């Protein structure tokens, strides 16, 4: 980045000078003329531990000090966004305050909610998960205190000088000595944007980053800059993107040995006590060790094998062995990690994430199971649900959408699932370990990832079990961090492009007027053919709804002056709608009449509106965490997939169905409006985005019986037009996802009539009234089971009698039976087995629609599997099995005697062979 980007008037007026760090070579700005390093670790160790650089503040005090300071300086305080980034389709979790405004605000599509603004945004980053607790500074969840300004060509809010001035003023307001503050130049690149940035240091700790986002990858008229081999160009929108670490500010204000002691003093004490190690903190040597550990950790990357190097440095400083230090400090590090992780889970579950094997649910389960693994080592008194509830209370339960009782239920179920995983996992790992040991190979990382991803088996458990089996595994120290990175971003699913090759031609066509929005109740229209190619017709306007959002396209006809064409599919490219036709040809400029298949369109509209109603009903019955995972609308039935932490019970399903139909009977109007994205998000929240995140400045908001979503589909005018909603079935399609299939309107009536026909015909068969069907079926079923038991008893008697009466012939001293017996194949097998157990050979057959044959051998010379094949081939069929027992059959029943004779000859020939 160019040096002049950092030549600020504010620096010059305040007497700051630019220097080059003698350790790392980076440029920095300071008021201290004697300073020779940039103030960043590892160039400077932590000096604030035991020597705070700010006035003491609690978490709540520091947050309020920041927000109120910026409010007084012209910023609007806005509420935090959820930690699950539902307004983004590229990431699952909110990783920074600027993520709240990406991509639409930062892309200049919509204005920010306020300008300038200030916020305290909880963020979750799991890329350093394995370092949490060990480094003294790493957290999974942190609050990013921020102030943002969005400068446009028409309005300059403030830029670099004012940003640095505000930073100075804030640090001074909380007791910081500005002479100790350094501003390190550090070009910032991320998410397709770039710009100069300043890292703010005090006491060896980075407490803030001031980013001036002014460059983007999109080419403009201005000259570009080469950054990391890529070209970046000046943007129209220049954004002040600041991030102050709330927890770091509090840590620096207290000077405690670790960030965990500063931020979670009460929780650390509680978990220490629950783990039975609270006495350790009473030892002053531990306080010294933890402080040294944090200081040294601040000077190095502790991922992977570097953790051992950290242990060696601290051990040498206090003159003990690294192994003894590890035994001393590891329990406390795990307590710190448990405290951090439970706060992370409080935010995740409190913001309605449902643990599962996909998306953000996967990340929640990862943190849950890592926490449980550590808690189980301590055999803690507190449950995981207890600790998460306490964290929610500390943060403030009113700040969460989810109810504490539901969070506890979710956590308790996850604990049960984890216990089942551990029980099942031992056998799975043993099998894998033995396989690789037999091949004299190490168990590779890919196999460990598969065991974790597919079976949920934690890596420590894999290592322990594999070790007992004598196998060696490749397990990196940062395993959890790697897994989290692999699952942190959304991966675009490959879709079949029906219009491949058409985009170029369509690009020059005008937008198609969407009559289906303006006239949703109409089914006929007139239009002009703008273009016709590859069996696709483009009209100037259309009533045909294109496929999208899980809703099928309309079908119908286009009638021209000389021909009629069938419309069997409709797709949208940009703002142009293409109608796929069959059975006709249309000409450019031709005027056509379009006719929609009315009953199909009406049914699709009813099912689409019913989807919204059912989603809202499910929220009412199951809880606010219910979020749509997918949907598919149809004319005869539809389905909606929802995120839920357990199977939906029959009672819950009935309640959902009743709630949905009450909404229908209320006959509330369906309200549709085009609203500014930012204002809609502020009014309705991010549950707007149930079916994905639409593009553009304005979004189409559909309100149906309390459900409010961004939706592009066609709908009924009121809930009453939906008609009856009937849930057909519920299916558990994967962990954390329930699928509800339903029918609406006439389709629901058809389904109910079909059920009625089944009930009536069943009642007729049993000669009872329909209302007496359940007790009658129960009685018949009980009688059938009793009769089945009696038949089985009699069959056993027949088998015993047959075995007693059979007179085998003796061949070479071996009893042999070759016989037809009119019993079921299972009984034949029982008789044959009984004879073979006595050292004999039995070839038994039963006729029927097809012949069935069983051969059992108690003599090693007679291989049942080989002989049965030849016998069954004579019957026109096949047979097979093992040397001791084989079965088969064939349709040529009239050849059964011949087959038995051939089988007898094969048995005799085998017995005449000398014994092996």
């Amino acid at each position: 980045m160019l040096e002049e980007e950092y030549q600020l008037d504010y620096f010059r007026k305040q007497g700051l000078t630019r220097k080059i760090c003698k350790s790392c070579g980076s440029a920095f700005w300071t008021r201290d003329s004697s300073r020779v390093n940039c103030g960043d670790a590892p160039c400077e160790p932590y000096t604030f531990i035991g020597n705070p650089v700010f006035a003491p503040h609690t978490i709540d005090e520091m947050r309020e000090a920041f927000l109120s300071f910026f409010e007084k300086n012209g910023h609007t305080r806005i509420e935090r966004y959820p930690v699950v980034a539902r307004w983004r389709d590229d990431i699952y979790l909110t990783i920074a305050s600027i993520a709240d405004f990406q991509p639409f605000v930062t892309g200049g599509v919509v204005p920010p909610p306020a300008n300038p603004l200030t916020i305290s945004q909880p963020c979750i980053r799991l890329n350093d998960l394995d370092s949490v607790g060990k480094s003294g500074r790493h957290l999974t969840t942190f609050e990013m205190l921020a102030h943002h300004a969005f400068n446009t060509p028409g309005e300059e809010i403030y830029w670099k000088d004012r940003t640095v001035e505000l930073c100075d003023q804030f640090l001074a307001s909380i007791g910081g000595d500005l002479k100790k503050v350094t501003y390190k130049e550090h070009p910032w690149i991320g998410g397709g944007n770039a710009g100069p940035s300043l890292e703010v240091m005090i006491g060896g700790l980075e407490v803030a980053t001031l980013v001036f986002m002014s460059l983007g990858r999109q080419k403009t008229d201005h000259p570009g800059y080469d950054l990391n081999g890529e070209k970046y160009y000046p943007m129209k929108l220049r954004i002040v993107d600041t991030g102050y670490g709330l927890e770091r500010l509090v840590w620096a204000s207290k000077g405690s040995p670790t960030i965990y002691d500063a931020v979670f003093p009460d929780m650390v004490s509680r978990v220490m006590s629950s783990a039975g190690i609270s006495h350790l903190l009473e030892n002053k040597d531990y306080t010294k060790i933890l402080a040294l550990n944090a200081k040294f950790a601040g000077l190095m990357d502790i991922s992977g094998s570097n953790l051992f190097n950290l242990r060696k440095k601290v051990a040498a400083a206090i003159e003990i062995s690294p192994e003894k230090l590890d035994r001393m400090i590891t329990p406390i590090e795990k307590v710190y990690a448990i405290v951090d992780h439970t706060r992370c889970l409080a935010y995740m579950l409190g913001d309605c994430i449902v643990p599962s094997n996909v998306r953000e649910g996967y990340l929640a389960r990862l943190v849950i199971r890592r926490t449980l693994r550590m808690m189980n080592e301590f055999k803690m008194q507190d449950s995981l649900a207890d600790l998460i509830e306490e964290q929610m209370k500390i943060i403030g339960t009113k700040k969460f959408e989810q109810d504490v009782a539901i969070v506890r239920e979710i956590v308790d179920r996850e604990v049960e699932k984890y216990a089942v995983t551990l029980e099942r996992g031992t056998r799975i790992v043993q099998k894998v370990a033995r396989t690789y040991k037999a091949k004299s190979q190490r168990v590779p990382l890919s196999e460990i990832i598969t065991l974790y991803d597919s079976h949920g088996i934690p890596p420590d458990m894999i290592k322990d079990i594999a070790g007992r089996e004598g196998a060696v595994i490749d397990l990196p120290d940062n395993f959890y961090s790697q897994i989290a990175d692999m699952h942190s971003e959304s991966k675009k699913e490959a879709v079949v492009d029906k219009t491949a090759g058409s985009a170029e031609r369509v690009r020059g066509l005008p937008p198609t007027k969407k009559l289906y929005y303006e006239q949703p109740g109409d089914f006929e229209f007139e239009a002009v053919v703008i273009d016709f190619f590859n069996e696709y017709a483009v009209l100037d306007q259309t009533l045909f709804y294109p496929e999208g959002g899980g809703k099928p396209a309309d079908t119908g006809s286009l009638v021209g002056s000389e021909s009629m064409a069938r419309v069997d599919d409709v797709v949208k490219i940009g703002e142009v709608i293409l109608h796929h036709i069959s059975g006709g040809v249309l000409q450019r400029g031709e005027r056509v009449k379009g006719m929609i298949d009315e009953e199909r369109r009406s049914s699709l509209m009813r099912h689409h509106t019913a989807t919204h109603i059912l989603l809202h009903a499910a929220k009412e019955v199951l809880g606010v965490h219910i979020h749509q995972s997918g949907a598919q609308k149809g004319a005869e039935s539809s389905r909606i997939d929802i995120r839920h932490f357990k199977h939906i019970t029959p009672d819950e399903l009935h309640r959902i169905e009743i709630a949905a139909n009450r909404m229908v009977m209320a006959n509330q109007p369906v309200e549709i409006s085009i609203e500014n994205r930012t204002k809609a998000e502020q009014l309705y929240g991010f549950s707007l985005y149930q079916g994905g995140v639409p593009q553009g400045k304005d979004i189409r908001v559909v309100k149906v019986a309390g459900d409010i979503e961004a939706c592009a589909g066609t709908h009924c005018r009121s809930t009453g037009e939906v008609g009856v909603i009937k849930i057909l079935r519920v299916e558990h399609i994967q962990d954390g996802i329930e699928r509800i299939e339903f029918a609406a309107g006439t389709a629901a009536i058809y389904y109910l009539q079909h059920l009625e026909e089944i009930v009536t015909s069943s009642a007729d068969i049993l000669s009872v009234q329909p209302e007496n069907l359940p007790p009658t079926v129960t009685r018949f079923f009980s009688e059938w089971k009793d009769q089945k038991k009696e038949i089985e008893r009699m069959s056993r008697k027949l088998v015993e009698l047959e075995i007693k009466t059979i007179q085998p012939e003796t061949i070479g001293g071996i009893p042999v039976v070759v016989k037809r017996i009119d019993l079921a194949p299972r009984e034949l097998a029982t008789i044959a087995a009984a004879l073979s157990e006595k050292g004999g050979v039995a070839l038994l057959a039963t006729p029927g629609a097809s012949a069935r044959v069983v051969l059992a051998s108690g003599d090693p010379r007679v291989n049942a599997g080989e002989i049965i094949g030849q016998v069954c081939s004579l019957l026109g069929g096949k047979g097979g099995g093992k040397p001791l027992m084989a079965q088969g059959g064939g349709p040529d029943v009239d050849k059964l005697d011949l087959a038995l004779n051939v089988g007898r000859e094969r048995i005799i020939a085998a017995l005449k062979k000398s014994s092996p």
Side-chain angles (χ1 to χ4, degrees):
M1 193 66 68
L2 298 177
E3 182 180 325
E4 57 263 28
E5 292 282 353
Y6 300 97
Q7 299 291 333
L8 307 186
D9 290 340
Y10 180 79
F11 283 156
R12 188 172 59 255
K13 291 176 182 176
Q14 291 292 315
L16 281 83
T17 56
R18 186 176 190 266
K19 295 192 171 189
I20 302 299
C21 178
K22 72 172 187 178
S23 298
C24 68
S26 298
F28 67 96
W29 295 81
T30 178
R31 289 179 170 86
D32 183 358
S33 59
S34 63
R35 175 175 282 279
V36 294
N37 63 52
C38 63
D40 192 10
C43 303
E44 181 177 319
Y46 293 164
T47 57
F48 68 91
I49 295 179
N51 184 30
V53 293
F54 302 125
H57 286 71
T58 65
I59 278 279
D60 291 337
E61 290 168 346
M62 187 65 79
R63 183 191 302 112
E64 185 54 38
F66 182 89
L67 295 173
S68 59
F69 170 84
F70 281 95
E71 274 189 313
K72 291 172 185 175
N73 282 276
H75 294 68
T76 300
R77 182 190 303 210
I78 67 170
E79 292 297 317
R80 76 169 182 92
Y81 283 41
V83 296
V84 52
R86 301 217 188 273
W87 62 95
R88 302 280 297 268
D89 58 8
D90 55 342
I91 57 173
Y92 299 133
L93 301 175
T94 307
I95 56 174
S97 61
I98 195 64
D100 297 347
F101 314 111
Q102 291 172 324
F104 301 107
V105 175
T106 57
V109 177
V110 297
N115 198 12
L117 62 84
T118 185
I119 187 173
S120 182
Q121 176 59 50
C123 304
I124 297 179
R125 296 181 187 174
L126 303 180
N127 53 313
D128 290 315
L129 191 59
D130 298 278
S131 298
V132 173
K134 298 174 183 176
S135 68
R137 72 180 189 276
H138 281 101
L139 300 165
T140 56
T141 306
F142 61 96
E143 282 189 57
M144 184 175 284
L145 301 170
H147 62 98
H148 296 286
F150 302 88
N151 300 288
T152 67
E155 184 181 18
E156 179 85 7
I157 307 300
Y158 61 80
W159 195 227
K160 299 175 193 172
D161 288 276
R162 179 59 175 161
T163 302
V164 177
E165 180 183 16
L166 288 168
C167 181
D168 264 359
Q169 291 174 357
F170 170 68
L171 295 180
S173 74
I174 58 174
D177 181 354
L178 296 185
K179 192 173 181 180
K180 296 179 180 179
V181 176
T182 58
Y183 291 92
K184 179 182 176 181
E185 297 178 10
H186 187 269
W188 176 87
I189 300 173
N193 297 110
S197 79
L198 292 165
E199 295 176 345
V200 185
M201 322 292 173
I202 185 169
L205 182 69
E206 181 184 347
V207 293
T209 303
L210 314 177
V211 176
F212 306 100
M213 193 187 298
S214 56
L215 301 174
R217 294 291 310 282
Q218 187 171 354
K219 190 173 183 179
T220 64
D221 296 334
H222 302 280
Y225 298 88
D226 284 314
L227 301 174
N228 289 356
E230 300 283 356
K231 205 78 167 177
Y232 286 81
Y233 301 88
M235 303 189 304
K236 290 182 179 180
L237 191 66
R238 293 176 301 126
I239 302 168
V240 173
D241 171 22
T242 67
Y244 294 68
L246 171 60
E247 291 79 6
R248 288 191 168 209
L249 290 169
V250 172
W251 186 20
S253 81
K254 293 187 176 181
S256 57
T258 73
I259 198 169
Y260 317 110
D261 301 294
V263 176
F264 315 113
D266 295 335
M267 283 300 294
V268 168
S269 177
R270 174 171 175 168
V271 176
M272 284 281 194
S273 176
S274 183
I277 60 172
S278 55
H279 61 282
L280 296 182
L281 289 183
E282 298 169 6
N283 187 333
K284 292 184 179 179
D285 288 339
Y286 272 91
T287 304
K288 179 183 177 183
I289 291 170
L290 292 169
L292 277 172
N293 190 70
K295 284 184 177 180
F296 282 120
L299 300 176
M300 59 192 293
D301 171 17
I302 69 160
S303 62
S305 60
N306 292 333
L307 177 63
F308 182 68
N309 295 331
L310 172 63
R311 290 282 194 264
K312 287 199 297 185
K313 285 178 179 287
V314 177
I318 57 176
E319 299 179 339
I320 63 172
S321 70
E323 292 74 23
K324 182 178 180 181
L325 173 65
D326 194 69
R327 290 193 300 272
M328 291 174 65
I329 200 172
T330 295
I332 299 177
E333 290 175 339
K334 288 182 178 177
V335 165
Y336 288 153
I338 290 168
V339 172
D340 165 86
H341 290 9
T342 50
R343 182 173 74 151
C344 178
L345 291 168
Y347 275 109
M348 282 180 152
L349 304 179
D351 280 359
C352 297
I353 292 178
V354 175
S356 68
N357 291 329
V358 294
R359 298 173 56 91
E360 65 273 7
Y362 178 97
L363 299 173
R365 179 166 288 168
L366 184 150
V367 179
I368 287 172
R369 294 193 168 183
R370 189 169 193 270
T371 309
L372 285 171
R373 179 73 172 172
M374 292 183 286
M375 290 180 68
N376 289 346
E377 290 178 18
F378 286 122
K379 296 180 172 60
M380 291 180 60
Q381 297 172 356
D382 284 309
S383 68
L384 178 57
D386 292 335
L387 298 180
I388 294 173
E389 179 178 354
E390 185 61 25
Q391 291 281 23
M392 291 179 73
K393 289 177 179 177
I394 291 170
I395 297 165
T397 54
K398 291 183 179 178
K399 295 181 180 179
F400 297 108
E401 192 176 1
Q402 184 63 281
D403 185 74
V404 171
I406 298 294
V407 169
R408 291 192 67 96
E409 187 177 357
I410 290 172
V411 173
D412 288 342
R413 291 187 68 85
E414 285 297 305
V415 172
E416 292 172 8
K417 289 178 181 178
Y418 182 65
V420 172
T421 294
L422 295 184
E423 185 178 341
R424 187 186 69 244
T426 300
R427 297 189 299 274
I428 297 172
V429 176
Q430 284 174 336
K431 183 178 179 181
V432 171
R434 289 166 186 167
T435 299
Y436 282 95
K437 183 186 177 185
K439 295 189 290 187
S440 299
Q441 295 178 359
R442 300 168 72 92
V443 181
L445 177 59
S446 59
E447 190 73 63
I448 300 170
I449 291 173
T450 298
L451 288 170
Y452 182 82
D453 270 355
S454 301
H455 303 285
I457 306 171
D460 297 334
M461 178 180 173
I462 297 170
K463 185 176 182 179
D464 293 344
I465 296 171
R468 290 198 295 270
E469 294 295 326
V472 180
I473 73 171
D474 285 325
L475 180 62
D477 290 333
N478 63 341
F479 175 84
Y480 283 105
S481 301
Q482 288 188 34
I483 289 292
D485 272 347
M486 288 167 55
H487 291 271
S488 291
E489 295 184 357
S490 175
K491 295 175 177 63
K492 299 287 186 183
E493 293 184 7
V495 294
V496 177
D497 186 1
K498 299 180 183 178
T499 58
S502 302
E504 189 66 33
R505 181 154 181 166
V506 167
R507 190 172 292 120
L509 299 177
T512 308
K513 188 176 182 181
K514 303 176 184 68
L515 296 179
Y516 49 80
Y517 285 153
E518 299 175 11
Q519 304 158 212
D522 291 352
F523 301 97
E524 294 185 4
F525 68 102
E526 291 189 352
V528 175
V529 179
I530 300 296
D531 200 357
F532 182 75
F533 59 94
N534 299 336
E535 298 183 335
Y536 281 105
V538 179
L539 311 178
D540 63 336
Q541 59 183 9
T542 186
L543 272 177
F544 284 94
Y545 182 81
E547 180 183 359
K551 184 174 181 180
D554 285 329
T555 58
S557 303
L558 290 175
V559 181
S561 57
E562 297 181 0
S563 67
M564 183 176 77
R566 178 71 184 166
V567 177
D568 54 25
D569 194 14
V570 187
V571 294
K572 185 168 174 274
I573 301 180
E575 293 302 311
V576 178
I577 296 171
L578 284 69
H579 308 71
H580 186 268
I581 69 169
S582 58
V585 176
L586 300 176
Q587 303 297 323
R588 284 190 210 172
E590 184 178 3
R591 193 161 193 84
V592 294
K593 181 179 181 180
M595 293 179 289
I596 309 295
D597 290 339
E598 182 174 347
E599 183 53 42
R600 185 174 182 277
R601 155 73 82 82
S602 298
S603 186
L604 286 169
M605 288 169 64
R606 285 192 289 266
H607 280 91
H608 195 162
T609 305
T611 302
H612 288 239
I613 292 172
L614 269 174
L615 182 64
H616 193 63
K619 279 189 178 183
E620 284 189 358
V621 173
L622 304 177
V624 294
H625 60 277
I626 294 300
H627 193 87
Q628 180 178 313
S629 176
Q632 183 63 52
K633 294 86 177 179
E636 297 179 0
S637 67
S638 294
R639 66 172 188 259
I640 180 171
D641 299 338
I642 59 174
R643 297 191 180 114
H644 188 44
F645 58 90
K646 62 180 180 178
H647 297 340
I648 299 175
T649 66
D651 177 65
E652 289 169 335
L653 209 62
H654 291 155
R655 288 160 57 200
I656 292 169
E657 188 174 70
I658 289 169
N661 281 287
R662 281 179 177 159
M663 294 173 196
V664 170
M665 289 185 290
N667 197 26
Q668 297 173 318
V670 174
E671 300 176 21
I672 300 175
S673 58
I674 304 299
E675 300 190 30
N676 173 271
R677 177 187 295 274
T678 302
K679 291 181 179 178
E681 290 176 349
Q682 290 174 310
L683 276 173
Y684 313 121
F686 299 104
S687 59
L688 272 171
Y689 304 126
Q690 296 288 337
V693 184
Q695 301 299 305
K697 175 182 177 181
D698 299 318
I699 57 178
R700 187 171 183 264
V701 177
V702 178
K703 302 176 185 177
V704 183
D707 178 77
I708 305 175
E709 296 182 36
C711 179
T714 54
H715 286 275
C716 299
R717 290 167 296 187
S718 68
T719 59
E721 290 185 358
V722 172
V724 65
I725 295 175
K726 177 60 187 170
I727 295 177
L728 310 183
R729 62 188 60 86
V730 64
E731 182 183 359
H732 180 71
I733 60 170
Q734 65 182 66
D735 199 24
I737 307 284
E738 298 287 291
R739 171 170 291 171
I740 298 174
E741 188 176 345
F742 64 94
T746 309
I749 299 296
Y750 289 154
Y751 177 77
L752 291 170
Q753 289 175 340
H754 176 63
L755 286 184
E756 187 179 20
E757 288 173 4
I758 293 173
V759 171
T760 302
S761 61
S762 300
D764 289 344
I765 291 170
L766 297 174
S767 300
V768 297
Q769 294 297 317
E771 58 268 24
N772 294 326
L773 197 55
T776 304
V777 170
T778 301
R779 178 170 59 82
F780 269 86
F781 185 65
S782 297
E783 291 174 356
W784 174 79
K785 285 197 296 184
D786 292 341
Q787 289 175 353
K788 184 180 178 184
K789 290 178 183 177
E790 180 62 19
I791 291 169
E792 288 174 351
R793 187 187 67 79
M794 293 177 67
S795 295
R796 286 194 297 271
K797 286 288 186 182
L798 284 171
V799 167
E800 291 170 5
L801 184 62
E802 190 69 45
I803 291 172
K804 287 179 181 178
T805 58
I806 283 178
Q807 296 294 324
E809 61 177 311
T810 303
I811 300 173
I814 303 298
V816 175
V817 176
V818 178
K819 185 178 182 181
R820 280 188 186 220
I821 301 178
D822 196 10
L823 288 173
R826 188 171 68 174
E827 279 74 44
L828 285 188
T830 302
I831 295 169
L835 295 170
S836 68
E837 285 171 3
K838 297 177 182 178
V841 179
L843 174 61
L844 308 178
T846 182
S850 63
R852 299 295 301 172
V853 187
V854 177
L855 174 57
S857 171
D859 189 290
R861 290 172 293 180
V862 179
N863 188 317
E866 291 179 0
I867 296 174
I868 200 73
Q870 188 173 358
V871 170
C872 291
S873 67
L874 293 170
L875 298 171
K878 294 181 179 180
K882 297 180 179 179
L884 300 181
M885 172 72 80
Q887 300 183 55
D892 298 337
V893 182
D894 56 333
K895 295 182 179 179
L896 185 55
D897 290 336
L898 172 63
L900 289 176
N901 287 333
V902 170
R904 182 176 179 277
E905 291 172 2
R906 289 291 307 276
I907 293 168
I908 292 171
L911 290 173
K912 287 182 177 179
K913 295 178 182 178
S914 59
S915 299

